[in-house]
């Protein structure tokens, strides 16, 4: 059996315009599709389809995080520089041991508080950085990995307005995606 050709993730968001602004800057490309209450990005590297459905009632703050592993330190530096130019970087952690691995990484947080980790893996480690270990020890699920320090909501950058207006067609939020509707 062959590998899956592309991963798909769908997240609920509270403000689609702010989400599109954030992810256009973070991914460095525009959305492939924008409809009332819905946006989709198709990334080639890594092979990922990620969609956002505006539905504030279904946004959860205890999600965890998502991330991208880069292949080289030069790629990490380039992505960090681009994220810094866009005002997205929340924090940097260079030479940290997280998830029992030595890593260099930075974090960004989208408008709904979903954290993204962009990291370069150096090598396996036999310990976790002490700032993470206390949170691991307190976590109810001992399989928890890469728990990032909490980010205050006021540190989320304010994004520029979208270059276009999303038209409200009167469709209820979240109903744009229906089984068999092809929106995802």
């Amino acid at each position: 059996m062959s590998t899956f050709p592309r991963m798909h993730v769908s997240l609920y968001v509270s403000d689609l315009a702010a989400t599109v602004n954030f992810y256009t800057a973070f991914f460095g490309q525009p959305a492939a599709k924008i409809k009332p209450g819905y946006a989709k990005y198709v990334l080639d590297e890594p092979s990922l389809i990620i969609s956002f459905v505006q539905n504030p009632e279904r946004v959860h703050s205890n999600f965890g995080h998502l991330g991208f592993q880069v292949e080289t330190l030069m790629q990490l530096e380039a992505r960090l520089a681009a994220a810094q130019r866009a005002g997205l970087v929340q924090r940097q952690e260079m030479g940290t041991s997280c998830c029992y691995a030595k890593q260099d990484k930075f974090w960004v947080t989208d408008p709904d508080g979903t954290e993204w980790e962009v990291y370069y893996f150096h090598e396996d480690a036999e310990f976790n950085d002490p700032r993470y270990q206390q949170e691991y020890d307190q976590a109810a699920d001992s399989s928890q990995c890469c728990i990032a320090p909490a980010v205050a909501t006021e540190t989320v950058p304010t994004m520029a307005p979208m270059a276009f207006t999303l038209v409200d067609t009167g469709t209820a939020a979240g109903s744009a995606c229906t089984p068999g509707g092809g929106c995802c």
Side-chain angles (χ1 to χ4, degrees), residues 11-23 37-39 41 52-57 59 110-113 158-162 166 173:
L11 298 173
Y12 294 115
V13 300
S14 57
D15 181 337
L16 189 63
T19 297
V20 168
N21 282 333
F22 175 87
Y23 283 99
Y38 179 82
Y41 291 80
F52 303 95
V53 178
Q54 186 164 306
N55 190 335
E57 295 78 30
V59 173
D110 82 2
D112 285 304
T158 302
M159 304 305 294
M162 292 177 70
L166 294 176

Side-chain angles (χ1 to χ4, degrees), residues 86-106:
L88 303 179
V89 177
Q90 297 297 307
R91 66 189 168 283
Q92 297 176 49
E93 299 172 326
M94 302 302 167
T96 191
S97 289
C98 171
C99 300
Y100 296 92
K102 182 180 176 197
Q103 304 171 7
D104 289 341
K105 64 176 79 179
F106 68 91

Side-chain angles (χ1 to χ4, degrees), residues 107-152:
W107 296 86
V108 299
T109 304
D110 82 2
D112 285 304
T114 300
E115 291 187 307
W116 285 81
E117 169 189 33
V118 179
Y119 69 98
Y120 173 75
F121 169 84
H122 288 277
E123 61 189 3
D124 285 324
E126 295 301 318
F127 64 93
N128 272 328
D129 189 307
R131 68 181 160 190
Y132 294 114
Q133 192 60 49
Q134 181 179 4
E135 290 185 47
Y136 290 151
D137 293 343
Q138 293 173 354
D141 177 8
S142 62
S143 66
Q144 192 82 7
C145 183
C146 296
I147 302 170
V151 176

Side-chain angles (χ1 to χ4, degrees), residues 21-85:
N21 282 333
F22 175 87
Y23 283 99
T24 296
F26 182 48
F27 293 152
Q29 69 181 55
K33 182 188 293 187
I34 298 177
K35 300 289 183 184
Y38 179 82
K40 177 174 80 173
Y41 291 80
V42 178
L43 307 180
D44 291 326
E45 291 185 25
S47 188
L48 171 67
I49 297 171
I50 184 164
S51 60
F52 303 95
V53 178
Q54 186 164 306
N55 190 335
E57 295 78 30
R58 299 206 58 194
V59 173
H60 294 284
S61 63
N62 59 353
F63 169 73
H65 73 274
L66 299 167
F68 293 118
Q69 180 181 1
V70 296
E71 297 294 320
T72 68
L73 281 171
M74 284 181 51
Q75 288 174 335
L76 180 71
E77 291 166 3
R79 293 203 179 266
L80 175 59
Q84 286 173 323
R85 282 191 301 275

Side-chain angles (χ1 to χ4, degrees), residues 152-176:
T153 55
E154 63 268 14
T155 63
V156 175
T158 302
M159 304 305 294
M162 292 177 70
F164 55 92
T165 303
L166 294 176
V167 178
D168 183 3
T169 62
T171 304
S175 64

